[in-house]
Amino acid sequence: MSDIIVVLTEDALTTADVAHITGLYADRDVSYHVLVPADTEQNLLASLVDHLSLGELREALDAALGREPEPVRAELTARQQLDVSVAAFAGTGATVNGVVVADDPLPALRAAVAGQEASEIVVVTLPHALEDTFHRDWASRAREELHVPVLHLYTGTNQLG
């Protein structure tokens, strides 16, 4: 029986992301379970700081004006991100499945760990200045609550979060 690696991502995984993740488990028999939250509730201050730190002025303006995604649009976006991510894993020959989860992914992580006996969690996000600094990011929260190893990678890079 293979180990289950839960991959939580806030965006579609790139081929580089999938290569980094699969490379970590190349010597093990694993399957991947991808979770993508439908992001409908964004922290105004955190979003503003994140966008400004990345030079994303239009996105910063949207955050400042409180323009949050509508639930239907957030669900559709998450479904598209999930499909791209699952296809990227499948393209490497990996065994993979995935689901869209609620805005706060911790309950879904908790269920995935308990129900599927996941051996590890990999969280892939963009850098988030406030959450990462104050350890309120998904990876830090998962480390605090769950009893499995949690690795935090920044999307598109091999940098650890």
Side-chain angles (χ1 to χ4, degrees), residues 57-139:
L57 300 180
R58 181 172 304 279
E59 292 84 352
L61 177 61
D62 288 345
L65 295 175
R67 296 179 186 156
E68 294 184 355
E70 296 174 7
V72 173
R73 180 176 296 272
E75 178 77 23
L76 179 60
T77 299
R79 172 64 49 199
Q80 292 168 342
Q81 293 166 337
L82 176 65
D83 291 346
V84 168
S85 299
V86 167
F89 272 109
T92 68
T95 303
V96 61
N97 64 36
V99 295
V100 172
V101 299
D103 191 45
D104 179 5
L106 262 292
L109 279 177
R110 206 175 298 114
V113 168
Q116 297 188 5
E117 299 177 12
S119 60
E120 295 180 38
I121 297 170
V122 177
V123 178
V124 183
T125 66
L126 292 167
H128 295 288
L130 291 178
E131 284 99 346
D132 292 352
T133 300
F134 295 106
H135 304 288
R136 299 313 316 145
D137 58 290
W138 293 339

